[in-house]
Amino acid sequence: MSAFSAIGEGKEIDRNDYTPGLEPQATWCPGCGDFGVLKALKGAAAELGKSPDEMLLVTGIGCSGKLNSYFESYGFHTIHGRSLPVARAAKLANPGLQVVAAGGDGDGYGIGGNHFMHSARENHDMTYIVFNNEIFGLTKGQTSPTSPMGHKSKTQPHGSAKQPLRPLSLSLTSGASYIARTAAVNPNQAKDIIVEAMEHDGFSHVDFLTQCPTWNKDARQYVPYVDIQDSDDYDFDVSDRREASEMMHETEDALHEGTVLTGRYYVDSDRPSYQQEKQQIGEMPEEPLAERYFDDSYEWERSYDNFLDKHK
Amino acid sequence: MTNDELIWRIAGGSGDGIASTSQNFAKALMRSGLNVFTHRHYPSRIRGGHTYTEIRASADPVKSRGDGYNFLLALGDSFARNPQQNAYYGNEEIKPLSENLDELREGGVIIYDSGLLDASEIEDFDERVEENDWHVYDLDLRTMAREHGREVMRNTAGVGATCALAGIDLEWIEELMTDAMPEKILEPNLEILHEAYDMVEEEYDVDAHDVKIPSGEHDEEQVLMSGSDAIAYGAIDEGCRFIAGYPMTPWTEVFTIMSQNLPELGGISEQVEDEIAAAALALGASHAGVKAMSGSSGGGFALMSEPLGLAEMTETPVVLIEAMRAGPSTGMPTKPEQGDLEHVLYTSQGDSHRIVFAPGTVAEAYTQTRKAFQIAYEYQIPSIVLYDQKLGGELVNVPASHFDEEPNPSLGSTLTEAEIEDAPHDESGKFSRFRYDTPEDNGVAPRSIPGQKGGRFLATGNEHMPEGHISESPENRVFQMNKRMRKLEAIREELDGDGVNNTVYGEEDAQYGFLTFGSQQGTVEEAVDRLNDAGHSVKMLGVSEMAPYPVDQVTEFIESVDEVLVVEMNASAQFRGLTQKEIGRYGDKLSSLLKYNGNPFEPQDIVEGFEVNIVEDDEHPHTRTKYVPAAGD
Ligand SMILES: Cc1ncc(C[n+]2csc(CCOP(=O)(O)OP(=O)(O)O)c2C)c(N)n1
Ligand code: SF4
């Protein structure tokens, strides 16, 4: 019998199963877009029939990182910017786990930018949700990598002289195999996209537009939004890199100008995930590595039998 | 013992095969029944530049490099001529000969390759030869090698000539070459080995000098091991099957050995984007139920400071390896130093704790790495193996049986699903992962692993309640802090009784003591022998448990002698500082002998430091080491 019997349990799951019985320490402001991510994630997990015991939610630091307090599952609330490397390794150790990483735009595109690039490049089989509110929320409203040019904050009183980062384009050039943008104000699309992202075999990146009414009062609240898949104005092939890239550019430019486009931008279902590649070249066991530590019949090899000859 | 040993130095350019040739030679000497110790000197440069390896071989135990050496094989630096002779490299051709003369003992032997080296370029060569009674053999090894097809076989020719002059049986070398070399290159190498040997025997009086190979015998089978090998094998035997890293000298060696072996054992190795990621991956894998490690050297370890604290706060077991080199910053990449002790002990914010081992020998590197994993997983705390470039790179013989230990894949304090069912849960259903009424009262609450039914909890770097929810409650904070601190006492107790010990050496009731840590242990032991032979009365305590510190054992040691000289390889006496801080008294009994020029202590440094400073109470005559007298309490 598996040591991890919660994995693949497949019983009827209700979205309320993801609500902690404990009162979370209230940290999110009323009207915060983060509640939209929570709702979408609960809906998606329920739709997929994943039990809270087989999900590992790994977060960074920020208001976004508090997602763990509101979502019932195994959790690892890590350090600023470092959710991805923790999540990647957990998935390598036990590919049966449903691994989701989440954090803010400061967390994911700023301090954790290097990890973002490399996790996408390696195409780890996991989902990464970035709460993009174009601001540092938890540290009280400083400029973030996605804040628009000219954005004024206490640490940038003359306005930002920097171009905002383009998360969708960055994700594509880095190598993510599933890329979408959704918004807290668009709950049905958000849930559907997270379901797809979690089902996708490879690195799925969801740039999730979340409003921060506390610090980003001037920011567009991402309404009205356009769902590009529902609109006749935006016709492109999501499996074509070039077309996806152009669409992403258009979307990112539009957001700077006040038009919110959301939807799926790139889906590559053919590319094997990192886990599969690694197994193929013989660098990763077929059975989950973590299982082995609970298998009493497993014969552990040791250095004396394997390596000492070459030292004699 | 100094008369009864061969210390052979092979010098040449980086990339000319000095390391592999010397490794084979050392192994041949070990197989012949001798004890061996190798010392590598290399610049932070890939090809060309002066490099050497020294092999000390004796029938008696060899614990350090010794002082000076008695047999030089100087090969040309093939990269000094080529490819950019007039650009960066300049003409360094003569260095393998010129740079090595200072430490060659009186009566020593020199073989140099006259095909590449011209001794007349060294100004006072002939005078020095005469003055020191050196025996010089200029052999055209290069031409000999060329005749057999490949110039790199100069090495083999040099080994053949060495054997003829030092009286080493070729059989040992042949056997090794047959084991190590592919068919195609074996033939010409064997030919050249014999040719050089015969040529020297026929043309020279090989008994003109008395630098000869001693003979010895081992009671049991030996293996030639480096500290890096021993650390990697310790980890593997302890069930570690996941490593994540980023290259940095000298940690790279451990990382490489693990990466080359783990896939065959069904494990996973990841080279990742930086050291923060590396440590974070190790945490992620451990959280998901695998024995995991990471590591680095100074600068890379600095980046691991935050994940290290996260491991402590979330009580996630992990083992980190720290390979010291001379700092600060990138410092001297290929030179040893023990300057990261305080960095490793104190990095990371808050009242954070980790366990730190600093093995003193290659054999200890194996046992203490295993211990580091046991403690980390039993007590759910990060543990660190701290060593340096010297211990990592030196090759010594260790009885093979030392590694003949059972594997230990236990995840320590971890529950099965059946046990989780009986374990305490919050009424919400959450498992009480961080309960403070721990079953053994040692601060350890057994953990669950994601994917196990009913074991849900939140691991967070913020202060948290028993089931993992973030909390800033003052009462909970004190309970959780006490719980984490309680582990340290339990670990101290376990370490005191486990036999993986700090090393005591010398006369039990000696008048003076040496206190040292890590890689300097063997050198100090040798100095202790020499001093006792010279009529002094000394002993040594080699401390390998840096945290928690063995306060009782060290106190007892300090109390048992009149004065203690603390020997360490850094400029700010970090280990003495730690000792004074932990013991809290007897500070005026401690003085420091420090060396921080990029080279480890040699036994004579310690002998002199002791005689001049402790016995004669004089100014130290050397600039190589520094004496810092008692500080007081
Ligand atoms: C190494 C480090 N630097 C800085 C901080 C302080 N810090 C906490 S949250 C945060 C910014 C979070 O912004 P973002 O990721 O956009 O998340 P949000 O709060 O907007 O959800 C910062 C800078 C930290 N915790 N650790
Ligand atoms: S500060 Fe902004 S991002 Fe943070 S909880 Fe409040 S509204 Fe949300």
Side-chain angles (χ1 to χ4, degrees), chain A residues 27-29 32 34 63 133 137-138 211-215:
Chain A
T27 62
W28 287 344
C29 308
C32 175
D34 294 4
C63 297
N133 57 11
L138 193 66
Q211 66 278 15
C212 171
T214 303
W215 302 113

Side-chain angles (χ1 to χ4, degrees), chain B residues 107-129:
Chain B
V109 175
I110 299 174
I111 299 176
Y112 74 87
D113 185 352
S114 58
L116 278 165
L117 304 170
D118 181 0
S120 68
E121 280 180 33
I122 303 172
E123 237 175 73
D124 48 358
F125 185 69
D126 292 336
E127 290 96 81
R128 292 182 72 175
V129 168

Side-chain angles (χ1 to χ4, degrees), chain A residues 1-7 9 17 20-25 52-57 61 66 68-80 82 85-94 97 111 114-116 118-119 122 124 274 278 282-285 289-294 298 300-312, chain B residues 27 30-31 221-225 229 233 236-237 239-242 261 263-270 272-274 276-277 280-281 283-285 287-291 306-307 310 314 316 366 400-401 403-407 409 411 414-417 426 428 430 448-462 467 469-472:
Chain A
M1 201 195 78
S2 162
F4 302 101
S5 70
I7 294 174
E9 225 182 356
D17 293 340
L22 286 163
E23 192 61 35
Q25 216 180 38
D53 278 339
E54 70 183 307
M55 273 194 70
L56 177 63
L57 175 63
I61 298 294
K66 298 285 166 64
N68 276 121
S69 304
Y70 295 91
F71 187 84
E72 181 67 16
S73 70
Y74 275 99
F76 204 146
H77 178 228
T78 63
I79 39 181
H80 198 32
R82 318 300 166 198
V86 172
R88 264 151 62 182
K91 183 74 181 182
L92 287 166
N94 193 345
L97 290 171
I111 190 166
N114 196 25
H115 308 310
F116 174 58
H118 287 276
S119 306
E122 291 168 13
H124 287 267
Y274 182 63
K278 219 167 150 68
E283 280 198 350
M284 188 168 146
L289 188 50
E291 283 275 4
R292 194 179 301 165
Y293 291 87
F294 293 89
Y298 185 81
W300 287 84
E301 297 181 58
R302 56 181 188 150
S303 65
Y304 188 78
D305 306 319
N306 286 281
F307 313 116
L308 248 53
D309 275 350
K310 62 173 181 270
H311 298 275
K312 283 176 182 163
Chain B
K27 209 185 256 188
M30 175 185 83
R31 285 186 181 181
E221 191 176 35
Q222 304 286 310
V223 286
L224 191 66
M225 274 294 167
D229 291 322
Y233 296 162
I236 286 168
D237 289 355
C240 172
R241 290 295 181 272
F242 187 99
N261 292 320
E264 272 74 68
L265 303 174
I268 297 175
S269 165
E270 282 283 290
V272 295
E273 57 270 27
D274 58 36
I276 309 176
L281 264 102
L283 281 188
H287 182 71
V290 169
K291 277 190 156 172
E306 262 217 314
L310 179 66
T314 57
T316 308
Y366 174 79
S401 62
F403 301 89
D404 190 3
E405 296 284 332
E406 286 307 302
L411 280 183
T414 306
L415 301 176
T416 61
E417 287 194 335
D426 181 89
S428 67
K430 268 205 169 169
S448 60
I449 304 291
Q452 285 180 322
K453 210 173 189 151
R456 280 195 310 278
F457 71 97
L458 173 62
T460 166
N462 288 50
E467 69 300 317
H469 268 297
I470 294 172
S471 160
E472 293 191 347

